[in-house]
Amino acid sequence: MTEDDDGSDAFENQIQTPPSELDRHNTWHSLFKHGDQCIYFPKPSERVLPLGKKYQKVMIWKMSKGAPKVIRNAALAAGFRICKPGEKWTANWGKHWGSERYKKVQPWQKVNHYPMSFQVGRKDKMYINHMHMKAKFGGEHLNFVPETFLLPKERKRLENVFHQHQSWIIKPPALARGIGIKVIQKLSDLPRKKSLVCSRYIQDPYLINGRKFDLRIYVLVTSFDPLRIYMYKEGVVRFAANTYVTEGKGSTNRFRHLTNYSVSKKFKEKDNDDGKYSMADNKWSISLLKEYLQRQNVDFTPVWTEIESLLIKTMMSVQNTNVDGVRGLIQNKSSCYELFGFDVLLDSQLKPWLMEVNVSPSLKASCDLDFGIKTNLAVDMFNLCGFKLKDLELAYKMQTQKAAWKKPVLSSEERSKQRQVMLNQKQVLTDLTEYDLRTLKELEDEYHRRGQFERLWPSIKYGDHDRFLMSLNYADRLIHQWTLHDHQDVRRIETLRMLSVGDAVKKRPVQRRDCSNSAQTLVNEYLSHTFPQVK
């Protein structure tokens, strides 16, 4: 489901970008010798010196019509220019394409969707994949999606249980921004032939000042093969426009039930609180919600842990189909990344329920709060994804001379090791290969560009979630075991810098907290950008 345009243009056009104050280096340098350098995307208060002319020639970003201002600002600040009609591009921000179009993506190009991401972005597909996971692993730890029926195919089953719940909510499977969504209480209100998703309505949502709300949580997948999932630490709390009621006149009024901003902006109740907890814009930040709940003596930590867990499991449920899409349709698996917008509702017991996932969550701003969150989100997202200088160099060569890109091929030794690991005949962190070292260095370099993103997978905190992987391929085993072998970031970097082909990783005792001065110095240099400018 996409929601690129939520009608926030008017506010964005009023925004003035603050003047730049700081000069920053124009690239992220790798933590490792011969590692990949990536373009640095500056914050609004920073500026970077331009890259050399050969890079500038190919730093062209194709933007869809109506692309959010925060996306344009981030691209322009890093030195990209917006693509003109017919011009070749190296980066694209736009709507999801048909699968065949992904075959035309060149190895040096970067696009903001995966070919098969609709497997989680369509409401019907998300539910089908969730049920496949429940069938494989049982429902004990997967009870976070309300009872759902896909119409018209499952109408008879729905009719048998319709009377068991007061209200149901019907949604078109592939529309966004609240279009076509209705809360119904009578079976006669259920269309007979339309393709719809009908779910049990959460009748007892947690309310703040009498109003229903949900959480918009931003999740970035930088790779499906292997799976790497990040969550942005800040998000948006979206309030319904009217006070919540379930009975009597107005009980099915969409302004009481729907939290989509494209709906709630059309009607706003008077807000008597003009302080920090004002609902005048129908939005809070997630950090403000946590502060509010803390003042109400609510322990939100276990709730947030449940939310993070459901984010991981949902992306794991669609990993296989997305791996197939990347392998079958994309030349260079590093060409794709995707930001997802998860909508999570809390019931009166603070149990989180997953409502839906958006493949093009709106990054347009409707207020200062929105603009601040989404500006920083865009910058951190592009830094984390890693726009590599070697891809720009390849694009330049393709324009100025004949050059060819060769897809990396595993050696016979690498194929042999991977077979043995998959047959459980060998440990994945022994006899390391070039592929292993390259994959692990990419993992660590990416993690240190994360900004305000938190890596949910692979992670020590959710290490036991490997049991929910629909299939555990070689690369997933490699990064999972590597992450678990040592909890300390600096020490992992130091270890990886010293490893060579054929080496084995020695597991460190968990209780050790030491780290060498050389490794700490390396990370300090990296984080403070004490590297030469790229020209």
Side-chain angles (χ1 to χ4, degrees), residues 366-383:
S366 62
C367 57
D368 289 335
L369 168 73
D370 239 4
F371 189 70
I373 291 173
K374 293 172 180 178
T375 293
N376 293 325
L377 169 64
V379 170
D380 286 349
M381 172 175 61
F382 293 141
N383 279 322

Side-chain angles (χ1 to χ4, degrees), residues 485-533:
H485 100 277
D486 195 330
H487 70 284
Q488 227 182 67
D489 301 342
V490 170
R491 208 161 50 203
R492 283 200 317 273
I493 295 166
E494 180 189 33
T495 299
L496 188 52
R497 293 182 74 231
M498 296 187 294
L499 289 171
S500 302
V501 172
D503 287 347
V505 177
K506 296 179 181 179
K507 188 171 182 178
R508 291 179 181 264
V510 174
Q511 67 270 19
R512 287 184 59 188
R513 297 281 179 176
D514 64 304
C515 59
S516 71
N517 291 333
S518 60
Q520 186 63 63
T521 301
L522 174 70
V523 175
N524 288 342
E525 287 179 346
Y526 175 81
L527 295 176
S528 61
H529 294 272
T530 56
F531 296 95
Q533 295 278 1

Side-chain angles (χ1 to χ4, degrees), residues 77-337:
F80 284 87
R81 60 183 177 84
I82 306 303
C83 182
K84 298 176 182 178
E87 204 171 18
K88 293 181 179 180
W89 50 270
T90 51
N92 178 83
W93 183 272
K95 296 181 179 181
H96 199 281
W97 297 332
S99 57
E100 289 299 309
R101 189 171 175 184
Y102 288 91
K103 291 181 179 180
K104 299 179 181 180
V105 175
Q106 298 301 312
W108 57 86
Q109 292 179 321
K110 202 88 165 171
V111 297
N112 66 309
H113 293 290
Y114 289 95
M116 304 296 285
S117 62
F118 61 85
Q119 288 287 336
V120 72
R122 280 183 60 108
K123 301 176 188 71
D124 52 353
K125 298 290 186 182
M126 184 201 82
Y127 181 71
I128 289 170
N129 284 298
H130 177 76
M131 293 307 292
H132 286 166
M133 177 175 269
K134 286 185 80 170
K136 184 170 184 175
F137 301 115
E140 182 181 358
H141 300 289
L142 297 168
N143 183 29
F144 53 81
V145 175
E147 184 179 11
T148 297
F149 298 87
L150 306 182
L151 304 179
K153 183 179 179 180
E154 296 179 331
R155 183 183 178 94
K156 286 292 184 183
R157 289 182 53 227
L158 172 58
E159 289 176 351
N160 292 334
V161 299
F162 192 89
H163 67 281
Q164 296 177 9
H165 304 289
Q166 180 181 340
S167 302
W168 295 80
I169 186 166
I170 54 175
K171 306 176 183 180
L175 295 181
R177 306 192 301 278
I179 297 172
I181 298 179
K182 293 181 180 179
V183 176
I184 63 172
Q185 296 177 337
K186 298 177 182 178
L187 191 58
S188 58
D189 291 334
L190 192 65
R192 286 195 167 274
K193 296 183 179 180
K194 283 186 179 180
S195 292
L196 294 169
V197 176
C198 183
S199 300
R200 176 175 64 84
Y201 187 68
I202 304 301
Q203 200 74 21
D204 59 337
Y206 192 92
L207 304 178
I208 294 180
N209 295 338
R211 288 162 69 177
K212 179 183 173 182
F213 65 92
D214 73 358
L215 312 181
R216 166 55 60 85
I217 300 170
Y218 299 102
V219 173
L220 178 67
V221 175
T222 57
S223 169
F224 273 107
D225 185 21
L227 184 60
R228 301 195 300 265
I229 308 169
Y230 294 82
M231 177 194 69
Y232 202 60
K233 292 181 180 179
E234 188 61 278
V236 179
V237 181
R238 308 181 306 174
F239 289 93
N242 288 176
T243 304
Y244 181 75
V245 296
T246 59
E247 297 180 352
K249 188 177 180 180
S251 61
T252 58
N253 183 335
R254 60 197 273 111
F255 294 112
R256 303 184 189 279
H257 297 280
L258 302 189
T259 58
N260 310 68
Y261 181 72
S262 53
V263 175
S264 64
K265 71 178 182 180
K266 298 174 184 177
F267 187 99
K268 296 184 180 182
E269 283 192 334
K270 185 178 179 181
D271 185 9
N272 295 322
D273 187 341
D274 59 357
K276 68 188 303 184
Y277 299 117
S278 170
M279 296 180 179
D281 293 316
N282 292 330
K283 289 184 180 182
W284 282 1
S285 66
I286 285 181
S287 58
L288 184 62
L289 172 68
K290 290 179 178 180
E291 178 188 311
Y292 173 86
L293 292 174
Q294 186 177 16
R295 292 184 60 168
Q296 305 299 314
N297 296 316
V298 173
D299 183 6
F300 197 63
T301 300
V303 179
W304 194 247
T305 298
E306 279 191 68
I307 291 173
E308 291 178 339
S309 178
L310 75 82
L311 302 178
I312 298 169
K313 293 167 187 171
T314 301
M315 298 316 305
M316 285 182 170
S317 74
V318 297
Q319 184 191 9
N320 283 356
T321 52
N322 277 277
V323 168
D324 291 343
V326 169
R327 291 179 180 178
L329 298 170
I330 297 292
Q331 297 183 61
N332 180 1
K333 66 180 183 180
S334 296
S335 289
C336 296
Y337 65 96

Side-chain angles (χ1 to χ4, degrees), residues 62-87:
K62 185 177 181 180
M63 298 274 184
S64 64
K65 185 179 179 180
K69 186 169 184 177
V70 298
I71 298 297
R72 289 177 174 269
N73 287 352
L76 294 171
F80 284 87
R81 60 183 177 84
I82 306 303
C83 182
K84 298 176 182 178
E87 204 171 18

Side-chain angles (χ1 to χ4, degrees), residues 371-496:
F371 189 70
I373 291 173
K374 293 172 180 178
T375 293
N376 293 325
L377 169 64
V379 170
D380 286 349
M381 172 175 61
F382 293 141
N383 279 322
L384 179 55
C385 291
F387 289 69
K388 299 175 182 177
L389 294 193
K390 71 177 184 182
D391 291 336
L392 297 181
E393 291 166 2
L394 181 57
Y396 180 79
K397 288 179 182 178
M398 292 297 292
Q399 288 189 15
T400 58
Q401 56 188 291
K402 287 187 177 181
W405 180 80
K406 293 183 179 180
K407 192 170 185 176
V409 178
L410 295 176
S411 67
S412 58
E413 292 82 3
E414 288 172 331
R415 290 196 302 272
S416 175
K417 181 198 170 180
Q418 293 193 13
R419 280 195 301 270
Q420 292 179 65
V421 170
M422 295 304 291
L423 292 171
N424 295 319
Q425 297 173 351
K426 178 175 282 193
Q427 296 295 315
V428 71
L429 293 181
T430 61
D431 295 330
L432 294 174
T433 65
E434 287 281 2
Y435 171 86
D436 296 340
L437 294 173
R438 185 170 63 250
T439 301
L440 295 178
K441 288 174 182 178
E442 183 180 75
L443 176 74
E444 294 295 353
D445 270 341
E446 180 182 88
Y447 182 68
H448 281 281
R449 297 193 304 267
R450 66 191 183 278
Q452 290 301 305
F453 278 94
E454 177 185 351
R455 193 173 69 200
L456 297 181
W457 183 264
S459 68
I460 291 176
K461 182 177 180 181
Y462 296 103
D464 63 343
H465 280 43
D466 60 344
R467 59 186 162 141
F468 296 109
L469 285 165
M470 300 297 279
S471 64
L472 190 58
N473 64 35
Y474 179 84
D476 284 306
R477 294 184 189 214
L478 176 67
I479 64 172
H480 177 51
Q481 291 301 321
W482 170 257
T483 304
L484 291 184
H485 100 277
D486 195 330
H487 70 284
Q488 227 182 67
D489 301 342
V490 170
R491 208 161 50 203
R492 283 200 317 273
I493 295 166
E494 180 189 33
T495 299
L496 188 52

